[in-house]
Amino acid sequence: SSLFKKKTGENIVDYINKIRISYARHMLGNTDETIKSICFSCGFRTFGHFCYVFRKLIKTKPSEYRKTYKQISSYPKKIL
């Protein structure tokens, strides 16, 4: 753990959480899976902790992220 921090500048738990949340963001934006299901698919043991980490890193709730992402992705790709 200390070797990892020396090499990367961050602790291993923060690094793993960033990877998990990155996957969660992908799932939230590209699937209709429930947020709770995504939480467990990403390796979090509790829904509360998932929401806490998501908000800490992304600055919004998972449900708000999904809602915003879906609205943005529904815009036309090209305007004539």
Side-chain angles (χ1 to χ4, degrees):
S1 179
S2 61
L3 178 62
F4 184 87
K5 185 163 184 156
K6 283 181 187 177
K7 295 286 183 183
T8 65
E10 66 183 332
N11 73 45
I12 196 160
V13 172
D14 290 342
Y15 178 79
I16 291 169
N17 280 338
K18 285 180 184 177
I19 292 170
R20 289 175 172 169
I21 294 301
S22 176
Y23 182 62
R25 290 172 71 187
H26 171 77
M27 297 293 289
L28 287 166
N30 296 293
T31 72
D32 290 325
E33 275 191 61
T34 66
I35 296 173
K36 197 171 260 192
S37 174
I38 291 170
C39 152
F40 297 122
S41 294
C42 293
F44 288 92
R45 292 186 182 176
T46 67
F47 185 66
H49 184 64
F50 167 73
C51 291
Y52 169 79
V53 173
F54 195 94
R55 280 191 81 161
K56 181 179 168 189
L57 295 176
I58 309 303
K59 310 291 189 238
T60 189
K61 297 176 186 178
S63 58
E64 290 297 317
Y65 179 86
R66 172 176 266 171
K67 185 174 155 186
T68 302
Y69 186 91
K70 296 277 184 181
Q71 286 174 347
I72 291 170
S73 66
S74 69
Y75 291 153
K77 300 294 181 211
K78 215 176 191 184
I79 299 175
L80 299 176

